Amino acid sequence: MTLITGLDHLHTTNTLTLEQLQPCFTSALTTCATQRAPWPSLFPFAQQEVQAFAKLSQPLLTLVSSDWLTSQLFLQHTLADFKPHTAPLYLLDQTAGQAGYFHSELTVEPGRYRKQSKAVQDTINDHLGDHEDGDIHAVAAKRIGFLESASRAQLFGEVYNGADGTLQLKPGALACHLGGILVVQLPALLEDPTLWQDLKRCIESQTISWHDAVCLQPPKSPLPQGRFAAAIKVILVGSREQLAELHHLDPDAAQNASMFTELASEVRANESNMPAIQDFICQIAAPFSVSLDLPFLNALLQHLSQLREHREYIKFNGKYLQRLLGRLCLDETPLTPEKLQQVLRQIRAAMTLPQKYSDESIAEQQIPISLTGNAIGQVNGLSVVELDGHPLEFGEVFRVTAAEYLGDGEVIDVERKADMAGNIHSKSMMIVESYLSQVFAKKHHIPFSANVVFEQSYSHSEGDSASIATYVAVISALSQCPVKQTVAITGAMDQQGHVLAVGGINDKIMALYRTTQVCQLEHKVSVLIPHANLINLNLDSDILAGVAEGKIDIISIGHVSEALDLALTEHQGWQDVYARIKQRFKSLQDDDDETLGSHWDWLTKWFR
């Protein structure tokens, strides 16, 4: 028997229990029931960087975050002790000389310039040049401000004509936060690149110009020339994708960002973090005036963990949590796990039209999926369907078939040949062929080739999660051992035959269980998943009920040989399957040798 790399590290196949299919946070919640910690402590490095930014002279900080609300609450808490080191701010409208903003520790009475004390006039002249007159207005300078959707008027202000014909300026957010910190969401700057260029110029030069403001009407007198000094500190908030787009529009933007930090969109839900997580949930829930008991918090964390697809992490997004709690609080009934599940079903049901059409096509046998009996060279695979413009991804069962014929050991991927597959998919098919050669072609050439088809696949295929299903289908075709159609398989593989983790594992398991319901099956089905995906399991209560009732088994595997043992029939183990294939190869080679020998005998007899 040929040595198969990696078999020394096999783990025992494992039929999973209910405890392995959904995490439980009750213990961590109970342990921390009387404890509270400020939730920004979940991001200590980001806290340190923001606090350092407030103290240093750097004018720009980039904060990578996918959620504006979470960023806003985080910065409000982290900068709670921030105090601008600037004097009160005033605005001088132009009548003569340079108009603009100035700081003064002296007592300034809003009104005419010429009515101010000489000391105040000297301060104004030092800031803005010599003046003869003008109107002075106090500007309500703010410590920290947030612009979620910045326009030019909101950012730089507005210029208009006063009743007496003088230019008037309505300060923008940038002017109102001179000496403070202005937090700007990035998408608004991407919509109007000129807005970013003007803001960048202000940040780099630490000056403001009246020419950046919006003129609501043609000014009756010329706008003041030049720029006046201003202490500007800005925090840009956006996702990685938005930041990459900004760098694409302005390659110099990365160099101008003197400081950088980020907020993760997920956090580990362990006992040490649980007090801070509870603090965050309670802060978001406070406006709704609702009671959050232990069972509800556990169910909520299970849902957030399911969104993250990780048993030890939860999705950390204030906006999503706010919307969900708002939906739950449409009526005044208490928040319970049952109510949460009901609302989540309603939300999902509103987005399942494509999934419904997919299920109907299987029920009507438009797409023939068999979950009964046995078949040679046919395996039920599992995929995740992503539709452009649709928020919901859903799992789907599909057929992988393999047909063998005399050849040279090549595994021909029809999807790739038809230009219907991506690079990752193509790579996975090459790995299947490579491992097949390692097992059977170290001493002799493989005398067969095989075509592999994803049946009724009409869209672009991508990913490597069908690798194990493909390998099982090819081995079934070569050995003529049937595949159990009650088994579905998902998993990637490496060149040693180890089963690797895949994405969307919960959606894929749900797809198989949903198909059994659509087809009204009464017998048990099984799904083989990578052992490495155990950390990602977080299944709905419907599937948990199906497992408890014995309708579906979820089995983890670590090597392709385990998939052969579980998926193929009419054999005595994967060694027997491989032995049959080798015997088939040998029989074909013996036939070739016998044919060649008879031809040689005929030739020697002819020329004797």
Side-chain angles (χ1 to χ4, degrees):
M1 178 65 64
T2 303
L3 176 64
I4 302 174
T5 306
L7 290 185
D8 294 338
H9 305 287
L10 286 180
H11 89 285
T12 304
T13 55
N14 180 20
T15 301
L16 305 181
T17 63
L18 291 175
E19 290 74 18
Q20 293 175 290
L21 301 180
Q22 187 181 65
C24 181
F25 300 97
T26 302
S27 175
L29 287 167
T30 303
T31 303
C32 307
T34 59
Q35 304 175 26
R36 279 293 182 273
W39 69 265
S41 62
L42 293 167
F43 310 102
F45 299 113
Q47 272 192 311
Q48 294 170 10
E49 201 69 7
V50 171
Q51 290 169 351
F53 171 74
K55 297 175 182 178
L56 297 172
S57 60
Q58 277 88 341
L60 180 63
L61 168 70
T62 301
L63 174 63
V64 173
S65 172
S66 59
D67 179 48
W68 171 253
L69 178 59
T70 304
S71 305
Q72 186 176 355
L73 296 175
F74 174 81
L75 292 172
Q76 286 174 342
H77 183 279
T78 304
L79 296 172
D81 297 329
F82 168 67
K83 296 179 180 179
H85 301 289
T86 56
L89 181 66
Y90 300 91
L91 167 66
L92 175 68
D93 283 343
Q94 178 199 24
T95 54
Q98 176 67 50
Y101 299 95
F102 66 93
H103 293 281
S104 176
E105 296 284 4
L106 302 173
T107 301
V108 179
E109 294 294 337
R112 305 298 294 181
Y113 166 86
R114 61 173 177 263
K115 293 183 178 181
Q116 305 297 324
S117 66
K118 186 177 185 306
V120 171
Q121 292 180 3
D122 290 342
T123 299
I124 296 174
N125 294 338
D126 289 341
H127 280 83
L128 303 176
D130 293 338
H131 282 73
E132 295 180 0
D133 201 1
D135 289 325
I136 297 175
H137 310 278
V139 177
K142 301 176 182 178
R143 186 177 61 86
I144 180 171
F146 297 87
L147 273 184
E148 183 174 2
S149 55
S151 65
R152 180 169 293 276
Q154 290 174 318
L155 193 58
F156 294 106
E158 299 173 351
V159 176
Y160 57 95
N161 297 313
D164 57 356
T166 60
L167 284 179
Q168 304 291 320
L169 176 64
K170 179 181 178 181
L174 204 58
C176 291
H177 293 86
L178 296 180
I181 296 176
L182 180 62
V183 184
V184 181
Q185 195 175 25
L186 199 50
L189 303 180
L190 298 175
E191 293 173 5
D192 183 3
T194 62
L195 198 61
W196 159 247
Q197 294 295 338
D198 291 339
L199 176 60
K200 183 178 73 168
R201 183 170 61 252
C202 293
I203 294 172
E204 291 176 343
S205 65
Q206 290 291 285
T207 61
I208 295 179
S209 170
W210 281 43
H211 288 268
D212 294 328
V214 174
C215 291
L216 299 179
Q217 51 189 298
K220 294 181 179 179
S221 56
L223 291 175
Q225 300 300 312
R227 309 180 68 85
F228 60 91
I232 300 171
K233 291 179 79 70
V234 174
I235 298 178
L236 290 181
V237 177
S239 66
R240 289 185 181 275
E241 294 78 13
Q242 292 163 352
L243 187 61
E245 186 177 349
L246 178 65
H247 291 171
H248 177 73
L249 293 173
D250 181 10
D252 295 332
Q255 299 176 359
N256 294 329
S258 53
M259 298 185 70
F260 177 95
T261 190
E262 55 188 334
L263 296 181
S265 58
E266 67 276 330
V267 295
R268 187 178 290 274
N270 53 22
E271 287 190 6
S272 61
N273 286 344
M274 198 57 69
I277 292 173
Q278 285 185 265
D279 179 66
F280 179 72
I281 295 174
C282 290
Q283 182 174 353
I284 299 297
F288 300 102
S289 301
V290 291
S291 175
L292 307 177
D293 61 12
L294 186 63
F296 174 78
L297 283 173
N298 179 61
L300 179 61
L301 291 176
Q302 286 176 334
H303 170 62
L304 296 176
S305 173
Q306 189 176 55
L307 294 176
R308 174 58 181 81
E309 282 200 341
H310 198 289
R311 295 172 62 87
E312 297 179 2
Y313 281 84
I314 62 169
K315 178 177 180 177
F316 200 82
N317 187 298
K319 191 64 176 179
Y320 176 82
L321 194 57
Q322 185 185 65
R323 290 173 178 171
L324 180 58
L325 289 172
R327 181 71 175 265
L328 288 165
C329 295
L330 286 177
D331 58 53
E332 297 181 357
T333 58
L335 300 186
T336 63
E338 294 74 21
K339 184 177 182 179
L340 176 61
Q341 291 301 320
Q342 180 184 3
V343 168
L344 292 175
R345 287 193 186 98
Q346 291 174 356
I347 294 173
R348 187 177 181 89
M351 300 185 290
T352 56
L353 194 58
Q355 176 184 300
K356 177 184 176 183
Y357 291 152
S358 174
D359 292 344
E360 287 179 352
S361 65
I362 293 175
E364 297 168 355
Q365 287 295 296
Q366 299 291 322
I367 298 179
I369 299 295
S370 175
L371 294 176
T372 59
N374 305 316
I376 293 176
Q378 177 173 295
V379 176
N380 289 317
L382 299 169
S383 66
V384 173
V385 178
E386 301 177 13
L387 300 176
D388 292 339
H390 199 274
L392 180 67
E393 299 176 358
F394 61 93
E396 197 172 57
V397 182
F398 68 98
R399 289 184 300 143
V400 182
T401 61
E404 94 286 13
Y405 53 90
L406 292 177
D408 56 1
E410 183 181 8
V411 176
I412 298 175
D413 177 17
V414 174
E415 308 298 311
R416 182 178 59 187
K417 289 275 188 181
D419 290 331
M420 295 179 64
N423 294 333
I424 298 175
H425 170 89
S426 299
K427 175 185 175 182
S428 69
M429 295 298 105
M430 295 177 190
I431 291 174
V432 170
E433 183 177 334
S434 171
Y435 185 69
L436 197 68
S437 298
Q438 289 184 60
V439 175
F440 298 108
K442 287 192 173 181
K443 293 183 178 180
H444 304 284
H445 291 293
I446 298 175
F448 287 93
S449 292
N451 273 346
V452 174
V453 177
F454 289 9
E455 299 291 352
Q456 291 183 287
S457 171
Y458 303 116
S459 58
H460 192 78
S461 299
E462 184 58 297
D464 57 1
S465 65
S467 302
I468 303 299
T470 299
Y471 183 78
V472 172
V474 171
I475 292 297
S476 171
L478 293 175
S479 67
Q480 295 295 291
C481 291
V483 180
K484 301 174 187 175
Q485 298 302 290
T486 56
V487 174
I489 306 173
T490 185
M493 65 181 288
D494 62 15
Q495 289 197 104
Q496 286 73 45
H498 299 125
V499 180
L500 308 179
V502 295
I505 192 66
N506 296 299
D507 287 331
K508 291 174 180 177
I509 296 173
M510 183 63 198
L512 178 62
Y513 186 65
R514 200 176 65 244
T515 303
T516 64
Q517 294 176 313
V518 168
C519 297
Q520 299 180 345
L521 297 185
E522 297 182 357
H523 58 265
K524 179 186 292 187
V525 296
S526 301
V527 56
L528 308 185
I529 67 170
H531 187 71
N533 275 123
L534 293 184
I535 196 68
N536 306 115
L537 290 179
N538 193 334
L539 299 172
D540 290 336
S541 56
D542 293 342
I543 305 181
L544 298 181
V547 172
E549 295 169 7
K551 295 180 179 179
I552 180 172
D553 278 343
I554 302 171
I555 304 171
S556 66
I557 58 175
H559 197 273
V560 292
S561 58
E562 299 167 18
L564 298 178
D565 282 341
L566 294 166
L568 299 183
T569 63
E570 301 178 10
H571 65 86
Q572 298 177 354
W574 61 268
Q575 297 94 334
D576 179 49
V577 174
Y578 285 172
R580 293 187 188 190
I581 295 174
K582 291 183 177 182
Q583 182 59 43
R584 190 179 180 194
F585 292 172
K586 185 176 183 301
S587 298
L588 183 63
Q589 186 176 5
D590 291 343
D591 290 343
D592 290 342
D593 291 343
E594 183 178 344
T595 302
L596 182 61
S598 63
H599 288 167
W600 177 254
D601 291 342
W602 181 82
L603 286 172
T604 55
K605 182 178 180 181
W606 177 264
F607 290 104
R608 183 175 298 169

